[in-house]
Amino acid sequence: MKVITVANNKGGVGKTMQCYQLASFLASKGHKVLTIDFDSQANLSSTLGVNVARTLIPEWLIGDIESKDVIVPTEGKYDFHENLFIIPSSRHLASLSKLLILSESEVRKHAGRKERLLRLRLSQLHEEFDYVVIDTPPMLGDELIMSLVASDKILIPTQAQDYSIDGLEELMDTFEIIKDTENPGLSFAIIPSMVNMRRKIERARMEELSQMFDITPAIRNLVEMQESISLKKPVFMMGKRSKSKEDYEKLWESIGIE
Ligand SMILES: Nc1ncnc2c1ncn2[C@@H]1O[C@H](COP(=O)(O)OP(=O)(O)O)[C@@H](O)[C@H]1O
Ligand SMILES: [Mg+2]
């Protein structure tokens, strides 16, 4: 089982988009995929056809309920949904940090420290899933830290705009700390996201970014991508001429997704 987290402490950079495209593609290839929606805005959950009144993620993490009670099938028109499951979110997830503090003694008993809770829960699902794809909220909170501890790889969609690149430093510092302490096997990929190559400033920023990091092929800013979400039709299902399909194919090839 491979665990992939999509993260950026900035909002609106294409994290949920990345999760949706990646998870549905993997499921279409016959892998059994679990997605976890760690964002209280629950956009991934609703794109995958799942709306719950109240998420059970806190209870699951703490160990009060079992995995089978939080994992639900995704719903949609296409066959890949048969291989695609989700632990859905709702706005109640916003109080996760408070709940974890209240349950501190229980957390310590089970996991030692709260950062390890998710890894502990996922360790019981190794037989059941080939991939876990985690969507995270736009902040460096418990959800993100737990995900980094539990993951093999972190995908970081980054917009080629003014403040996004500065904000990356904070995330990369966190990545380094987790790698040095809890998870030496963790790797990352920076994905230029929603790029408009016609804008000079974006080209310049992309160039700057590529000098600082090894970056993957870019995902362009395309109306078709928004349609993919509103129609709930992943880009891998689009026609041969589709630019978004082309972008994602290049990306997946470059990071070894098949
Ligand atoms: N490559 C893209 N081209 C055009 N629109 C995009 C692209 N990626 C994401 N979007 C749109 O931008 C908005 C923010 O994307 P989203 O994935 O929700 O970001 P995040 O999860 O980082 O907040 C959404 O409306 C989404 O449909
Ligand atoms: Mg999101």
Side-chain angles (χ1 to χ4, degrees):
M1 185 176 85
K2 248 191 143 51
V3 183
I4 301 174
T5 288
V6 180
N8 190 321
N9 41 325
K10 198 168 171 289
V13 296
K15 288 184 291 296
T16 302
M17 177 70 81
Q18 188 65 239
C19 286
Y20 176 65
Q21 303 300 346
L22 177 64
S24 53
F25 175 72
L26 287 168
S28 79
K29 291 284 165 186
H31 300 294
K32 200 169 168 200
V33 182
L34 172 66
T35 59
I36 302 177
D37 190 351
F38 260 147
D39 189 352
S40 60
Q41 291 195 26
N43 293 334
L44 183 65
S45 305
S46 47
T47 307
L48 291 174
V50 178
N51 296 292
V52 291
R54 194 187 167 289
T55 180
L56 293 171
I57 288 177
E59 289 81 353
W60 174 63
L61 286 173
I62 292 163
D64 284 349
I65 61 170
E66 289 181 47
S67 296
K68 66 173 172 48
D69 298 321
V70 279
I71 299 173
V72 297
T74 63
E75 275 175 44
K77 297 191 278 273
Y78 304 108
D79 287 348
F80 68 82
H81 282 281
E82 287 167 21
N83 287 333
L84 186 50
F85 296 78
I86 188 165
I87 298 182
S89 180
S90 73
R91 63 189 169 80
H92 306 87
L93 194 61
S95 47
L96 177 68
S97 294
K98 247 182 277 167
L99 288 166
L100 289 179
I101 291 169
L102 290 173
S103 324
E104 205 188 328
S105 63
E106 230 176 315
V107 169
R108 205 172 296 148
K109 196 173 78 200
H110 293 307
R113 31 200 318 189
K114 66 178 177 188
E115 296 91 290
R116 297 176 185 156
L117 279 174
L118 178 64
R119 182 167 66 193
L120 184 69
R121 286 287 154 260
L122 292 183
S123 68
Q124 294 147 359
L125 295 171
H126 270 260
E127 300 287 300
E128 214 171 317
F129 291 98
D130 302 311
Y131 280 95
V132 179
V133 176
I134 307 174
D135 195 11
T136 57
M139 56 183 177
L140 287 170
D142 286 332
E143 299 87 346
L144 180 57
I145 305 287
M146 277 192 274
S147 303
L148 295 185
V149 170
S151 293
D152 297 290
K153 199 177 186 77
I154 156 176
L155 303 183
I156 308 174
T158 302
Q159 277 187 288
Q161 284 168 3
D162 301 309
Y163 300 107
S164 310
I165 294 174
D166 306 331
L168 251 189
E169 264 171 49
E170 218 186 339
L171 178 58
M172 292 315 295
D173 286 348
T174 310
F175 167 85
E176 291 298 340
I177 292 168
I178 302 285
K179 193 173 156 71
D180 289 346
T181 55
E182 292 283 331
N183 189 2
L186 184 63
S187 66
F188 74 92
I190 291 181
I191 305 170
S193 178
M194 302 167 75
V195 176
N196 183 348
M197 280 300 198
R198 260 168 286 177
R199 292 184 62 205
K200 203 171 153 200
I201 173 89
E202 293 205 24
R203 287 199 305 273
R205 282 275 164 169
M206 284 272 288
E207 183 55 37
E208 204 179 303
L209 191 62
S210 69
Q211 279 162 12
M212 291 193 288
F213 304 100
D214 219 4
I215 59 175
T216 69
I219 303 293
R220 283 172 284 186
N221 193 330
L222 301 163
V223 176
E224 197 185 41
M225 297 283 298
Q226 285 159 28
E227 290 164 358
S228 165
I229 297 293
S230 55
L231 299 171
K232 300 187 175 179
K233 178 180 177 178
V235 297
F236 77 85
M237 302 190 78
M238 306 263 179
K240 267 209 180 99
R241 294 269 225 358
S242 156
K243 287 182 181 164
S244 31
K245 182 174 171 172
E246 182 189 327
D247 285 359
Y248 272 98
E249 279 175 356
K250 282 187 192 149
L251 170 65
W252 287 324
E253 201 191 327
S254 84
I255 59 175
I257 297 288
E258 52 196 289

